[in-house]
Amino acid sequence: MSSILAVFGATGKQGSSVIKYVLNDAELFHKYKIRAVTRDVNSGKAKTLANKVEVVHGDVTSRTSLETALTGVHTVFAMTTPSFGPGGMEIEYEGAKTIADVAVETGARYIIFSTLPSPKEISGGKYTKASHFEAKGQAERYIRGLPIKSAFYSPGFFMENFESIPFVGPQKAHDATWVLTRHTSPKAPMPLIDAVGDTGKFVGAILGEPDRFQGKTFCAATALYTLEDVAAIMSEVTGKTVIAQQIPVEDFAKSTPFEPDAFVEAFAYAEEFGYYGPDSEKLVAWAAENARGKPSTLEEFLRAHPLELV
């Protein structure tokens, strides 16, 4: 008999990737029955998803809805959406905590949580403002202390962000060039992942061998890329001239339309200490080797999802 796998964020990048992967993996398809959890069961994406899997309402602000959504569930893939603004870190943390608490109370046996490293912890308190990292890191520590088996998926920088978040993608200059700007060195390495295409490959590895990966963290990325690497690959794929340029921190902050301190610190932390800490390269290599399928390179991603540089 199949175990019920509850997937949060079912219509978003990570959750949809997990669902698609499980549905297309013969072993996992028979091992798990998917229950997609979404805040809006009437959205277009949710209705389309309902043609393939069970879709239920679940909102972290409504404990009752989570109790219903997680009844009878064996394994939970849990993820939280960043809450920027006053008290954002606490709001996101409480959401993750509520999911975990309800999972334990309803008898779930395993949680896979989408986490992030803690810049505050890794930097020894130097970087404290990357709230979207800290909320997930704090939630991970809480989940590890609960009476339930757990494993963790910690994604790198989404390749999708180069298109969906304008200030981190290439910007058109006055001449015919396009510019990737950061306040950090263009030679600073950053782990990159095709979130939609590859989240399922990493989470699928845990779902396939939950006992083997219990307590482990998948530092999920295909590899580390510098901004110079990214610019060169974008240039090759698009046929445009894309360059990487370091700018003053004040200018980068001004280009950030929301939470500039969080983004300034997140990039600065990654440059100084490594996105996953000093062993980032080894951790990423281990995760890629143990993924249930080869993660996409940046070049492969950009050829499949062309940048619109016009």
Side-chain angles (χ1 to χ4, degrees):
M1 183 177 177
S2 300
S3 298
I4 297 177
L5 166 65
V7 179
F8 281 81
T11 59
K13 292 181 176 67
Q14 298 180 51
S16 66
S17 181
V18 172
I19 291 171
K20 182 178 180 181
Y21 189 88
V22 172
L23 290 178
N24 287 283
D25 182 287
E27 179 188 348
L28 298 183
F29 178 78
H30 291 290
K31 185 175 182 180
Y32 295 99
K33 177 181 181 294
I34 294 172
R35 180 179 293 172
V37 183
T38 181
R39 287 175 293 181
D40 183 5
V41 296
N42 294 312
S43 72
K45 289 183 178 179
K47 288 181 178 179
T48 299
L49 195 56
N51 294 322
K52 303 175 183 178
V53 300
E54 178 187 12
V55 177
V56 302
H57 170 67
D59 190 323
V60 296
T61 64
S62 169
R63 192 181 188 92
T64 301
S65 74
L66 296 184
E67 290 170 351
T68 301
L70 296 183
T71 295
V73 165
H74 180 280
T75 300
V76 179
F77 172 72
M79 54 84 58
T80 52
T81 304
S83 179
F84 294 110
M89 189 183 89
E90 291 74 19
I91 292 170
E92 185 178 358
Y93 168 72
E94 287 298 327
K97 180 177 181 295
T98 301
I99 293 172
D101 287 342
V102 173
V104 172
E105 291 167 12
T106 54
R109 307 294 295 275
Y110 206 107
I111 294 178
I112 303 170
F113 180 65
S114 178
T115 187
L116 283 175
S118 167
K120 181 179 179 180
E121 182 178 310
I122 293 172
S123 72
K126 180 174 181 179
Y127 295 104
T128 61
K129 297 178 181 178
S131 59
H132 50 307
F133 279 73
E134 297 302 338
K136 292 176 175 64
Q138 185 178 345
E140 177 188 336
R141 291 191 292 274
Y142 179 77
I143 291 169
R144 286 185 181 276
L146 293 176
I148 187 171
K149 293 179 179 180
S150 59
F152 301 88
Y153 162 75
S154 184
F157 186 83
F158 290 3
M159 295 178 188
E160 291 88 346
N161 290 347
F162 290 119
E163 182 81 54
S164 63
I165 304 180
F167 69 89
V168 300
Q171 302 294 308
K172 195 169 188 178
H174 294 300
D175 53 16
T177 63
W178 293 77
V179 186
L180 290 164
T181 59
R182 300 286 187 277
H183 57 296
T184 48
S185 169
K187 298 184 183 299
M190 180 72 73
L192 300 183
I193 181 173
D194 173 358
V196 175
D198 291 343
T199 293
K201 296 174 184 176
F202 293 99
V203 175
I206 300 169
L207 292 171
E209 299 181 88
D211 291 335
R212 177 187 173 193
F213 294 119
Q214 181 186 345
K216 299 287 196 303
T217 299
F218 275 75
C219 295
T222 185
L224 299 177
Y225 293 80
T226 67
L227 203 62
E228 289 181 343
D229 294 333
V230 173
I233 293 168
M234 286 182 175
S235 295
E236 180 182 348
V237 172
T238 65
K240 307 285 187 178
T241 300
V242 182
I243 63 172
Q245 184 178 84
Q246 186 170 8
I247 61 175
V249 64
E250 296 82 5
D251 292 346
F252 180 77
K254 289 177 183 176
S255 75
T256 308
F258 60 96
E259 295 293 319
D261 288 347
F263 285 94
V264 165
E265 285 214 352
F267 284 117
Y269 148 76
E271 176 185 32
E272 184 173 352
F273 292 93
Y275 187 93
Y276 297 113
D279 293 326
S280 291
E281 190 168 0
K282 291 181 181 178
L283 293 170
V284 166
W286 179 88
E289 288 168 6
N290 285 281
R292 199 174 171 99
K294 182 181 178 295
S296 302
T297 65
L298 178 60
E299 180 177 353
E300 290 168 341
F301 174 82
L302 291 175
R303 293 196 184 282
H305 309 279
L307 284 173
E308 295 185 10
L309 301 185
V310 293

